[in-house]
Amino acid sequence: MSLEASSDRPRRRDLLDQREYVGIEEISGPIVALRGIHDVGYNELVEVIDGTGRVRLGMTLEVSSGAAVVQVFEGTSGLKLGSTRVRFRGEPLRMAVSPEVLGRVFDGLGRPIDGGPDPIGEPSDVNGLPINPTAREYPRQFIQTGISAIDGMNTLVRGQKLPIFSGSGLPHMQLVAQVSRQARIVSEDSGFAVVFAGMGIKHDEAMYYIRNFEESGAMERAAVFLSLADAPSVERLITPRVALTVAEYLATEMGMHVLVIMTDMTNYCEALREISTEREEIPSRKGYPGYLYSDLASLYERSGIIKDRPGSITQMPVLTMPNDDISHPVPDLSGFITEGQIVLERDLSQRGIYPPIAGLPSLSRLMTDGIGEGMTREDHAHLASQLFAAYAHVKDIRALASVIGEEELAPVDHTYLKFGDVFENDFLSQSFDENRSIEQTLDLGWKAVSVLPREELHRITEEELKKYYRK
Amino acid sequence: MAERVIGKVGRVVGPVVEAREVAGVEMLEMVFVGDERLVGEVVRIRNDAAWIQVYEDTTGLRPGTPVYGKGEPLSVELGPGLIGGIYDGVQRPLDVLRAQSGDFISKGIHVTALDRERRWEFEPVAEAGSEVFPGQIIGHVRETELIEHRIMVPPRMGGTLVDIAPPGEYVLEDVIGHLKGDGGERELKLYQKWPVRVGRPYKTRRPHTVPLITGQRVLDTLFPVARGGVVVVPGGFGTGKTMVQHALAKWCDADLVVYIGCGERGNEMTEVLLDFPKLIDPRTGRYLMERTILIANTSNMPVAAREASIYTGITLAEYYRDMGYHVAVMADSTSRWAEALRELSGRLEEMPADEGFPAYLPTRLAEFYERAGSVEALSGADGSITTIGAVSPPGGDFSEPVTQHTKRFVRAFWALDKQLANARHYPSVSWLASYSEYTDDVTEWWDETTKGEWKDLRSSIISIMQREARLERVVKLVGADVLPDSQRLILETAKIFKNAFLQQNAFDEVDAFCVAEKQYRMLKIIVRFYDLALEAIKKGGTLVGVKKLGVMRDIMQMKFEYANEDAGKLEELEKKLEESINEFGSIFG
Ligand SMILES: Nc1ncnc2c1ncn2[C@@H]1O[C@H](COP(=O)(O)OP(=O)(O)O)[C@@H](O)[C@H]1O
Ligand SMILES: [Mg+2]
């Protein structure tokens, strides 16, 4: 698979599109402007050829009669106004997809970097098309990740987009690796094909994931796309699109269940901001363009299940919150689009708790339909709700204790502190290779709430209490 | 004016196209752009250039290709067949699109909004030869079991009804009558068209008197909205805006619901499509889909069509209002609409005001919310539109422009609170930050329904919640242990009110919605609890003793244990409460 950069296949393209222009008018950051060309299409593929003959790919950002503004994915360094040559391809950026992509590693634009051959296949527009809402199947199949904080309280379902909001230095890599290793549908006992898009991440981090996929045997069902930190930043704008195009192919055409990991979305957004600033667009918050929401949606919404088709796309994007600030535009706008978020918390991590999944701001919006009798267990929803409520109270009590001292707390509040400890140490904490069944997770949840007196458990029914409380 | 070439594509920047060599085009005219004939609308004309916002993806669009004018403004089709439908922002039926282009939405597909083949049973009610006025109802069509579709003379038209079709089955394009007026003779059909950006006319505005019962206790009891009112629901992500909107769409007592998914998730629309055809409206015993129209322009669909979607939605609502129905419109989320406006404005290189939004943002918001209201329609019938708009403030910060401007034009504010949502207290409507200016308007209705008790019960609980908020500040510094029992009773009552009354799990079979009577009886029990317990404590009883009473668990569970049909039985619980506390108090003389 490679971007259809060679022109050997027959294509609907008129003669004008084969013209090559010499000389460009302006270079500004990753953007070049051209004049005196034929009328080219908006959002179409461009080949920019430098003095050494190297072909760089780009895309039109704006077109008008005889002129175009082009962003060059592979950067503009070394380009000269006079000697640069340009060809317009008369089609959007497309990529060849086929089953051969599995087990392979590609660069951020979809070209193999593992020494293997270019896979051959049907070219698809990397921008994708919006799924018709009437064609969607509502996701409701419980995915067991083996991680209590996720399965018990923020349940992931097949076809969901559930991001990880992390901070620098927090163990999102381990968590993602653990999820991709352990995730399965219990009744089917089948794993996922993994499509991995690394954007602006370091070489070490990329190697960590690849090694993990290899060790767990997931690599043969994985396709990896890497636009590493030292690649030109604009390239990152394409990487997730290429990856999602492959994922869509595997899901809709091959009927596979695909887990897409995209990391780090903050790097992606910064590249978008760079282009926007370069074009002197009016910024909204923190210099990010006003269309960041729509742009992110064009990625995140490429997940889900389509009626009467066997496959699915589950997304787990990863982003780092600058300064651990969840109200920063990147996590904020992501949270408005994704179906929940797993938030990592520095305080928990510093106390040595892994995975440091924050109890309160984390949320899975699709949880309700995927849990309960016949899927997980009948007490699941109420237990989870009770855990959230009680843990919220723990936070209040801890704050109060820090003001008035623990001794001054009412007796019931002491039991809440105890609950907090059991919750964090027994339920939340687990090791990197511990794969808990959903029953184990729920039982640990009951162990924690059983610390509390019965009258405090407003969210649990009498029946459930009889069956599980202090058992 | 018929379709003709009005110019050619000059420049393409995202969803905005600048047409050149333009002649004879009208402002807000609907146009088709390029070889693929993408749908667009003219938003600015200057000399021989026109700026067009395009409702479809412009990838591949080239300068030099033709632009066609349709000769009419962007309009919707209004007629039988709307109900139960799902449309995109410019009223293209998504199910028909799927049948034509598959699971993904491609572009350049032209389909009519309403089915031209379906036959409708028409029943005339006007006489041939009679004088008819604009908006007059001249016939009926049974659109769904719930909604009788009233065929009206289009607004701004009137005169002599030359002839009218006899009862029988007709398709939409059949001529069902002729009207002779000032402008000559015109054909009447089962459907009409109306430009989305113009509000449909009505006779007069009516005062608000009846609440729109939402079935959500925190809203109906604390922050009621009147039929014809306008509300905004602001909240950060995950605070429950969509759940509130869905709950209202399911359970509110409107005749008809127009739900606009504006720039939000695809799966949320799928959920509605999945649930509503199966859910029964408790008031009518019919499927909810029989009173629902969906507009879905999700976040990944073209941004200009998102901008149009709320106008499309409200125009459909006005049409049913004109027939004499009470319509509720939910727009989730108006922030995405405002962002679409901002993006288009940016591409048009307009001067930005606050945070990049155009200076006309408040005007547009006001225009939209003004289209709600309770009216006497042209037909003489009473109808209303209640509009509930969600707002998604960046970072959950309500000081941002969309929340602030919207606040100026709405009279009820249902503020969703992050802390409450984090503790999974749903609906996470803050009882401190929310307000409703409709309370006085609907008090009479409530008092009639509750033998004059509602107003006082409501003030009692509000006063308890206010005292609790003050006490909480003290508790945060010194703990609750130091407070006397009479004050801790306030904390306890507030806790019961929050857990047993305010919280309402949308997924619970019994409690998902709550009829007015049950709300009132539950409220009464909690207020009675406070009064009785206070008496017992004054006599020397302890709060700990009161809390141990068996009836307390009944109160905590009453929302689950008493179904809406059994609301009357809550009277027994009230008696039991009185007896237990009185018995308890009597120990102390
Ligand atoms: N009334 C409710 N009952 C139960 N759960 C709720 C309720 N309101 C919100 N939630 C929970 O909160 C999540 C987020 O709500 P949602 O309405 O999607 O938020 P928003 O639209 O504000 O982002 C839901 O997925 C659901 O789990
Ligand atoms: Mg929402």
Side-chain angles (χ1 to χ4, degrees):
Chain A
M1 168 201 55
S2 71
L3 286 161
E4 283 291 281
S6 59
S7 54
D8 48 21
R9 76 180 48 233
R11 192 177 294 119
R12 183 174 51 88
R13 175 211 263 204
D14 50 44
L15 281 173
L16 280 175
D17 286 332
Q18 286 169 19
R19 272 200 206 168
E20 190 173 289
Y21 297 95
V22 182
I24 50 183
E25 195 177 79
E26 187 186 332
I27 307 173
S28 158
I31 294 174
V32 301
L34 294 105
R35 222 169 256 290
I37 55 173
H38 66 280
D39 288 341
V40 299
Y42 173 71
N43 219 1
E44 283 186 352
L45 188 56
V46 184
E47 290 169 2
V48 179
I49 305 143
D50 64 20
T52 69
R54 189 181 139 211
V55 178
R56 309 180 197 203
L57 295 173
M59 204 178 73
T60 53
L61 284 179
E62 179 181 328
V63 296
S64 50
S65 342
V69 176
V70 173
Q71 63 179 350
V72 186
F73 300 129
E74 290 155 279
T76 48
S77 82
L79 289 187
K80 286 198 191 118
L81 291 184
S83 63
T84 301
R85 290 172 294 144
V86 178
R87 279 197 296 261
F88 293 91
R89 301 286 306 278
E91 62 180 20
L93 190 60
R94 298 204 289 178
M95 202 179 76
V97 285
S98 78
E100 293 169 46
V101 298
L102 292 174
R104 304 290 309 275
V105 183
F106 306 92
D107 73 3
L109 295 175
R111 294 170 297 207
I113 48 172
D114 55 2
D118 283 12
I120 300 161
E122 193 56 35
S124 300
D125 180 352
V126 300
N127 297 302
L129 288 170
I131 300 178
N132 187 319
T134 63
R136 281 182 185 270
E137 177 89 46
Y138 196 71
R140 45 174 77 241
Q141 189 105 45
F142 164 64
I143 296 176
Q144 180 175 295
T145 66
I147 296 164
S148 293
I150 297 180
D151 295 352
M153 297 176 72
N154 302 289
T155 319
L156 175 67
V157 299
R158 194 149 75 183
Q160 183 172 14
K161 37 190 182 290
L162 187 63
I164 294 177
F165 288 8
S166 186
S168 51
L170 294 178
H172 53 265
M173 285 201 301
Q174 287 84 330
L175 184 61
V176 168
Q178 190 172 6
V179 169
S180 58
R181 204 170 55 234
Q182 298 180 172
R184 46 192 20 68
I185 304 286
V186 184
S187 59
E188 299 174 9
D189 201 40
S190 60
F192 288 80
V194 176
V195 171
F196 180 93
M199 294 156 284
I201 58 171
K202 293 204 189 65
H203 185 256
D204 293 351
E205 191 173 343
M207 285 319 293
Y208 174 88
Y209 285 112
I210 292 175
R211 218 171 33 245
N212 249 282
F213 296 149
E214 280 169 350
E215 282 166 9
S216 66
M219 193 60 206
E220 55 194 58
R221 283 179 302 116
V224 175
F225 297 85
L226 297 175
S227 176
L228 296 180
D230 54 2
S233 65
V234 236
E235 187 183 287
R236 296 173 204 162
L237 297 179
I238 290 304
T239 311
R241 293 185 162 81
V242 175
L244 285 164
T245 304
V246 166
E248 273 167 358
Y249 169 79
L250 296 174
T252 55
E253 303 302 324
M254 303 292 297
M256 296 175 120
H257 296 292
V258 187
L259 176 66
V260 179
I261 295 160
M262 303 191 285
T263 180
D264 179 323
M265 291 307 295
T266 306
N267 295 337
Y268 170 87
C269 295
E270 278 169 1
L272 201 67
R273 175 168 66 179
E274 207 177 306
I275 293 285
S276 175
T277 314
E278 203 65 62
R279 302 203 61 210
E280 296 173 11
E281 292 172 338
I282 299 151
S284 65
R285 281 205 309 151
K286 290 210 162 53
Y288 288 94
Y291 49 81
L292 180 58
Y293 174 85
S294 301
D295 188 277
L296 284 172
S298 74
L299 302 178
Y300 295 147
E301 280 287 326
R302 290 173 80 174
S303 58
I305 309 173
I306 293 180
K307 276 184 194 154
D308 307 319
R309 297 205 197 207
S312 65
I313 296 181
T314 307
Q315 279 190 23
M316 186 162 271
V318 180
L319 58 87
T320 44
M321 301 180 281
N323 261 326
D324 293 348
D325 176 10
I326 196 169
S327 70
H328 180 278
V330 175
D332 191 52
L333 293 177
S334 295
F336 273 117
I337 304 164
T338 55
E339 286 147 345
Q341 63 279 339
I342 303 291
V343 183
L344 303 190
E345 190 180 283
R346 195 164 302 277
D347 173 56
L348 285 172
S349 185
Q350 280 167 349
R351 288 193 278 133
I353 293 171
Y354 173 86
I357 295 178
L360 302 182
S362 300
L363 167 73
S364 164
R365 294 163 186 265
L366 300 185
M367 173 167 180
T368 331
D369 288 299
I371 63 171
E373 198 162 357
M375 294 171 286
T376 54
R377 210 166 74 184
E378 84 286 357
D379 56 318
H380 192 161
H382 290 160
L383 174 64
S385 175
Q386 187 65 67
L387 287 168
F388 277 116
Y391 193 57
H393 197 57
V394 170
K395 296 261 169 168
D396 291 343
I397 303 291
R398 282 184 185 161
L400 179 62
S402 71
V403 178
I404 64 173
E406 222 174 277
E407 323 73 58
E408 299 297 317
L409 292 176
V412 63
D413 292 342
H414 281 284
T415 63
Y416 269 101
L417 290 184
K418 174 115 185 295
F419 161 82
D421 292 340
V422 175
F423 174 79
E424 287 173 356
N425 297 324
D426 296 355
F427 178 86
L428 209 55
S429 298
Q430 65 188 88
S431 69
F432 173 61
D433 46 18
E434 185 179 355
N435 190 355
R436 292 183 188 156
S437 73
I438 184 66
E439 287 76 22
Q440 284 173 314
T441 288
L442 294 176
D443 291 346
L444 284 169
W446 277 103
K447 182 179 170 197
V449 296
S450 291
V451 171
L452 294 169
R454 210 178 161 113
E455 317 73 87
E456 290 294 311
L457 308 178
H458 300 305
R459 308 219 175 161
I460 299 178
T461 66
E462 209 57 41
E463 238 168 281
E464 290 158 352
L465 285 172
K466 271 193 202 115
K467 195 158 166 196
Y468 299 104
Y469 181 67
R470 297 195 174 156
K471 291 285 141 78
Chain B
M1 221 191 308
E3 186 179 311
R4 72 256 176 250
V5 173
I6 54 135
K8 57 187 192 181
V9 174
R11 177 162 168 252
V12 187
V13 203
V16 169
V17 167
E18 196 181 316
R20 305 253 166 86
E21 296 167 39
V22 169
V25 71
E26 282 179 11
M27 186 63 179
L28 297 185
E29 183 172 344
M30 190 170 167
V31 294
F32 301 109
V33 182
D35 297 329
E36 288 183 294
R37 296 176 60 87
L38 308 177
V39 180
E41 187 182 4
V42 176
V43 293
R44 181 201 285 160
I45 308 173
R46 188 184 294 155
N47 300 324
D48 68 342
W51 280 256
I52 297 162
Q53 63 182 49
V54 180
Y55 294 120
E56 300 180 79
D57 180 19
T58 52
T59 295
L61 187 61
R62 287 174 185 236
T65 50
V67 179
Y68 308 88
K70 184 152 192 249
E72 60 180 40
L74 181 72
S75 302
V76 285
E77 292 185 353
L78 302 169
L82 289 168
I83 297 176
I86 176 165
Y87 302 95
D88 77 356
V90 288
Q91 211 199 9
R92 288 183 302 182
L94 288 170
D95 45 352
V96 179
L97 281 190
R98 181 168 178 231
Q100 291 205 0
S101 78
D103 296 334
F104 295 87
I105 301 177
S106 43
K107 50 187 177 165
I109 300 172
H110 297 269
V111 291
T112 58
L114 293 171
D115 187 346
R116 292 296 192 274
E117 256 132 69
R118 180 146 172 209
R119 307 190 74 80
W120 298 96
E121 188 74 42
F122 172 68
E123 185 71 42
V125 296
E127 301 276 322
S130 62
E131 290 298 308
V132 291
F133 54 83
Q136 183 173 336
I137 295 166
I138 55 167
H140 296 156
V141 160
R142 176 130 308 270
E143 186 171 3
T144 68
E145 284 295 327
L146 282 176
I147 304 283
E148 175 190 76
H149 196 107
R150 296 164 191 152
I151 307 297
M152 298 171 288
V153 177
R156 296 174 191 165
M157 264 189 229
T160 313
L161 188 62
V162 180
D163 55 12
I164 184 159
E169 286 199 343
Y170 299 93
V171 296
L172 289 185
E173 293 290 4
D174 286 338
V175 177
I176 53 132
H178 289 88
L179 186 71
K180 203 169 177 171
D182 297 343
E185 193 165 285
R186 284 210 37 171
E187 292 177 342
L188 296 176
K189 294 183 179 175
L190 287 179
Y191 78 104
Q192 45 182 279
K193 284 187 165 192
W194 191 262
V196 297
R197 297 191 192 274
V198 181
R200 284 173 63 89
Y202 49 83
K203 233 181 242 169
T204 49
R205 287 212 172 234
R206 296 249 191 232
H208 306 116
T209 50
V210 180
L212 179 84
I213 296 295
T214 65
Q216 306 299 302
R217 285 183 294 270
V218 59
L219 306 179
D220 293 337
T221 299
L222 293 184
F223 310 108
V225 56
R227 279 185 176 173
V230 281
V231 192
V232 63
V233 194
F237 64 82
T239 51
K241 298 178 295 298
T242 304
M243 294 292 291
V244 166
Q245 299 272 38
H246 278 198
L248 260 68
K250 285 178 187 163
W251 311 123
C252 80
D253 65 351
D255 298 320
L256 196 99
V257 167
V258 178
Y259 191 98
I260 311 167
C262 176
E264 293 285 309
R265 302 178 184 86
N267 275 331
E268 290 173 348
M269 299 314 293
T270 309
E271 192 183 1
V272 174
L273 281 175
L274 195 76
D275 286 352
F276 281 39
K278 287 191 243 152
L279 285 173
I280 303 278
D281 176 356
R283 289 178 316 126
T284 58
R286 302 295 314 179
Y287 291 112
L288 283 174
M289 210 60 197
E290 292 176 14
R291 64 157 211 189
T292 309
I293 302 174
L294 298 173
I295 311 286
N297 213 97
T298 55
S299 55
N300 54 340
M301 283 160 73
V303 69
R306 188 199 297 171
E307 190 274 328
S309 66
I310 67 167
Y311 299 104
T312 297
I314 198 99
T315 309
L316 302 188
E318 285 174 340
Y319 176 61
Y320 284 91
R321 172 204 67 189
D322 291 346
M323 295 179 206
Y325 288 112
H326 298 286
V327 188
V329 175
M330 284 103 211
D332 184 17
S333 153
T334 59
S335 292
R336 305 304 166 217
W337 164 81
E339 284 163 11
L341 202 65
R342 172 171 70 187
E343 178 168 351
L344 294 165
S345 164
R347 307 278 195 191
L348 286 164
E349 294 166 6
E350 293 170 341
M351 274 295 279
D354 297 352
E355 294 193 17
F357 288 105
Y360 49 78
L361 172 69
T363 320
R364 294 282 172 91
L365 277 169
E367 281 167 4
F368 171 68
Y369 284 108
E370 261 313 285
R371 290 173 74 171
S374 191
V375 305
E376 181 185 350
L378 294 180
S379 66
D382 280 341
S384 67
I385 295 177
T386 312
T387 301
I388 300 112
V391 168
S392 318
D397 173 6
F398 291 175
S399 67
E400 58 90 38
V402 182
T403 316
Q404 283 308 312
H405 289 307
T406 305
K407 229 174 160 173
R408 293 161 49 198
F409 310 120
V410 303
R411 289 181 52 211
F413 189 76
W414 296 339
L416 301 186
D417 183 275
K418 189 96 220 163
Q419 250 87 41
L420 290 176
N422 278 350
R424 270 52 174 177
H425 170 118
Y426 297 124
S428 68
V429 176
S430 160
W431 50 91
L432 298 173
S434 304
Y435 61 80
S436 167
E437 292 171 12
Y438 297 109
T439 312
D440 290 344
D441 298 337
V442 303
T443 296
E444 199 177 308
W445 181 94
W446 270 101
D447 273 352
E448 265 167 36
T449 317
T450 61
K451 303 180 221 86
E453 291 185 284
W454 187 73
K455 193 173 177 202
D456 292 341
L457 288 173
R458 192 174 167 275
S459 337
S460 303
I461 202 71
I462 289 175
S463 140
I464 290 170
M465 295 308 282
Q466 284 168 345
R467 281 183 283 163
E468 185 241 14
R470 281 197 297 272
L471 283 175
E472 272 301 333
R473 284 198 285 270
V474 179
V475 170
K476 281 220 165 72
L477 295 175
V478 295
D481 260 11
V482 298
L483 299 179
D485 266 9
S486 60
Q487 290 193 338
R488 286 169 65 181
L489 175 63
I490 293 176
L491 299 182
E492 187 61 27
T493 310
K495 188 171 161 190
I496 295 172
F497 185 62
K498 288 183 221 169
N499 281 288
F501 189 94
L502 293 181
Q503 278 181 34
Q504 212 174 334
N505 185 342
F507 303 109
D508 192 88
E509 285 198 5
V510 177
D511 201 38
F513 87 105
C514 185
V515 293
E517 186 189 357
K518 184 174 164 188
Q519 300 194 23
Y520 142 71
R521 293 202 180 278
M522 287 174 64
L523 177 62
K524 191 169 171 197
I525 285 173
I526 295 170
V527 172
R528 287 293 287 156
F529 162 78
Y530 175 76
D531 293 342
L532 291 166
L534 187 62
E535 250 172 69
I537 286 168
K538 277 186 184 150
K539 283 186 195 158
T542 63
L543 181 60
V544 176
V546 174
K547 279 168 71 176
K548 288 219 170 85
L549 296 175
V551 72
M552 298 314 295
R553 181 102 200 159
D554 296 342
I555 294 179
M556 294 312 290
Q557 295 294 321
M558 63 184 166
K559 60 182 172 186
F560 304 121
E561 305 280 317
Y562 295 81
N564 284 312
E565 309 82 76
D566 301 333
K569 293 194 189 143
L570 279 163
E571 215 164 349
E572 291 158 29
L573 180 58
E574 192 188 325
K575 285 219 184 71
K576 184 173 169 193
L577 169 72
E578 274 172 29
E579 282 159 18
S580 338
I581 300 200
N582 285 340
E583 193 187 336
F584 169 77
S586 66
I587 310 172
F588 309 96

Short mmCIF file of all heavy atoms in Angstrom, two decimals, chain A residues 336 365, chain B residues 237-238 240-243 259 264-265 268 332-333 390 392, ligand 2:
data_model
loop_
_atom_site.label_atom_id
_atom_site.label_comp_id
_atom_site.label_asym_id
_atom_site.label_seq_id
_atom_site.Cartn_x
_atom_site.Cartn_y
_atom_site.Cartn_z
N PHE A 336 -16.07 16.59 23.80
CA PHE A 336 -17.37 16.92 23.25
C PHE A 336 -17.75 16.00 22.09
O PHE A 336 -18.90 15.96 21.67
CB PHE A 336 -17.40 18.38 22.77
CG PHE A 336 -17.77 19.38 23.83
CD1 PHE A 336 -16.88 20.35 24.25
CD2 PHE A 336 -19.02 19.35 24.43
CE1 PHE A 336 -17.23 21.28 25.22
CE2 PHE A 336 -19.39 20.27 25.40
CZ PHE A 336 -18.48 21.24 25.81
N ARG A 365 -19.83 6.88 27.85
CA ARG A 365 -21.21 7.23 27.54
C ARG A 365 -22.00 6.05 27.01
O ARG A 365 -23.22 6.09 26.98
CB ARG A 365 -21.26 8.33 26.48
CG ARG A 365 -20.71 9.64 26.95
CD ARG A 365 -20.42 10.49 25.75
NE ARG A 365 -19.76 11.72 26.14
CZ ARG A 365 -20.41 12.86 26.36
NH1 ARG A 365 -21.69 12.93 26.21
NH2 ARG A 365 -19.73 13.93 26.70
N PHE B 237 -18.71 19.12 28.56
CA PHE B 237 -18.95 17.79 27.98
C PHE B 237 -19.21 16.76 29.08
O PHE B 237 -18.62 16.83 30.15
CB PHE B 237 -17.82 17.35 27.05
CG PHE B 237 -16.48 17.16 27.69
CD1 PHE B 237 -16.17 15.98 28.35
CD2 PHE B 237 -15.52 18.15 27.61
CE1 PHE B 237 -14.93 15.80 28.92
CE2 PHE B 237 -14.27 17.98 28.19
CZ PHE B 237 -13.97 16.81 28.85
N GLY B 238 -20.15 15.89 28.82
CA GLY B 238 -20.44 14.84 29.77
C GLY B 238 -21.32 15.25 30.95
O GLY B 238 -21.54 14.47 31.86
N GLY B 240 -24.52 16.05 30.67
CA GLY B 240 -25.86 15.52 30.49
C GLY B 240 -26.80 16.35 29.63
O GLY B 240 -28.01 16.19 29.71
N LYS B 241 -26.27 17.20 28.76
CA LYS B 241 -27.13 18.00 27.89
C LYS B 241 -27.97 17.13 26.98
O LYS B 241 -29.17 17.29 26.85
CB LYS B 241 -26.28 18.94 27.01
CG LYS B 241 -25.47 19.94 27.78
CD LYS B 241 -24.62 20.79 26.85
CE LYS B 241 -23.54 20.00 26.12
NZ LYS B 241 -22.54 19.37 26.98
N THR B 242 -27.29 16.20 26.33
CA THR B 242 -28.00 15.36 25.37
C THR B 242 -29.03 14.47 26.08
O THR B 242 -30.14 14.27 25.58
CB THR B 242 -26.99 14.50 24.59
OG1 THR B 242 -26.06 15.40 23.99
CG2 THR B 242 -27.66 13.68 23.53
N MET B 243 -28.66 13.99 27.26
CA MET B 243 -29.61 13.16 28.01
C MET B 243 -30.85 13.96 28.39
O MET B 243 -31.96 13.46 28.32
CB MET B 243 -28.94 12.60 29.27
CG MET B 243 -27.82 11.62 29.00
SD MET B 243 -28.35 10.06 28.28
CE MET B 243 -29.24 9.37 29.66
N TYR B 259 -36.57 17.32 16.82
CA TYR B 259 -35.28 17.16 17.47
C TYR B 259 -34.17 17.46 16.47
O TYR B 259 -34.07 16.78 15.44
CB TYR B 259 -35.12 15.73 18.02
CG TYR B 259 -33.92 15.60 18.92
CD1 TYR B 259 -34.07 15.65 20.30
CD2 TYR B 259 -32.64 15.46 18.40
CE1 TYR B 259 -32.97 15.57 21.14
CE2 TYR B 259 -31.53 15.38 19.23
CZ TYR B 259 -31.71 15.43 20.60
OH TYR B 259 -30.62 15.36 21.43
N GLU B 264 -23.55 17.18 16.36
CA GLU B 264 -23.18 16.28 17.45
C GLU B 264 -22.93 14.87 16.91
O GLU B 264 -22.71 14.69 15.73
CB GLU B 264 -24.26 16.33 18.53
CG GLU B 264 -24.34 17.68 19.24
CD GLU B 264 -23.20 17.92 20.24
OE1 GLU B 264 -22.96 17.06 21.08
OE2 GLU B 264 -22.55 18.98 20.17
N ARG B 265 -23.00 13.88 17.81
CA ARG B 265 -22.56 12.52 17.43
C ARG B 265 -23.56 11.75 16.57
O ARG B 265 -24.76 11.84 16.78
CB ARG B 265 -22.32 11.70 18.70
CG ARG B 265 -21.30 12.30 19.62
CD ARG B 265 -21.14 11.47 20.86
NE ARG B 265 -20.21 12.14 21.76
CZ ARG B 265 -20.57 13.08 22.63
NH1 ARG B 265 -21.83 13.41 22.74
NH2 ARG B 265 -19.67 13.67 23.38
N GLU B 268 -25.70 9.18 18.57
CA GLU B 268 -26.82 9.71 19.35
C GLU B 268 -28.08 9.78 18.50
O GLU B 268 -29.20 9.59 19.01
CB GLU B 268 -26.49 11.10 19.90
CG GLU B 268 -25.44 11.03 20.98
CD GLU B 268 -24.94 12.39 21.46
OE1 GLU B 268 -25.23 13.42 20.80
OE2 GLU B 268 -24.25 12.43 22.47
N ASP B 332 -29.60 20.48 19.75
CA ASP B 332 -28.39 19.99 20.43
C ASP B 332 -27.29 19.87 19.39
O ASP B 332 -27.35 18.97 18.57
CB ASP B 332 -28.69 18.63 21.07
CG ASP B 332 -27.52 18.07 21.88
OD1 ASP B 332 -26.63 18.85 22.22
OD2 ASP B 332 -27.53 16.86 22.16
N SER B 333 -26.36 20.80 19.38
CA SER B 333 -26.14 21.89 20.29
C SER B 333 -26.05 23.19 19.51
O SER B 333 -25.44 23.23 18.44
CB SER B 333 -24.83 21.61 21.04
OG SER B 333 -24.20 22.78 21.49
N ALA B 390 -29.42 23.46 23.65
CA ALA B 390 -28.25 23.11 24.44
C ALA B 390 -27.11 24.03 24.02
O ALA B 390 -27.02 24.44 22.87
CB ALA B 390 -27.85 21.65 24.21
N SER B 392 -22.81 24.29 24.48
CA SER B 392 -21.61 23.55 24.89
C SER B 392 -20.46 24.52 25.11
O SER B 392 -19.65 24.72 24.22
CB SER B 392 -21.22 22.56 23.81
OG SER B 392 -22.36 21.91 23.29
MG MG C 2 -24.19 15.93 24.08
#
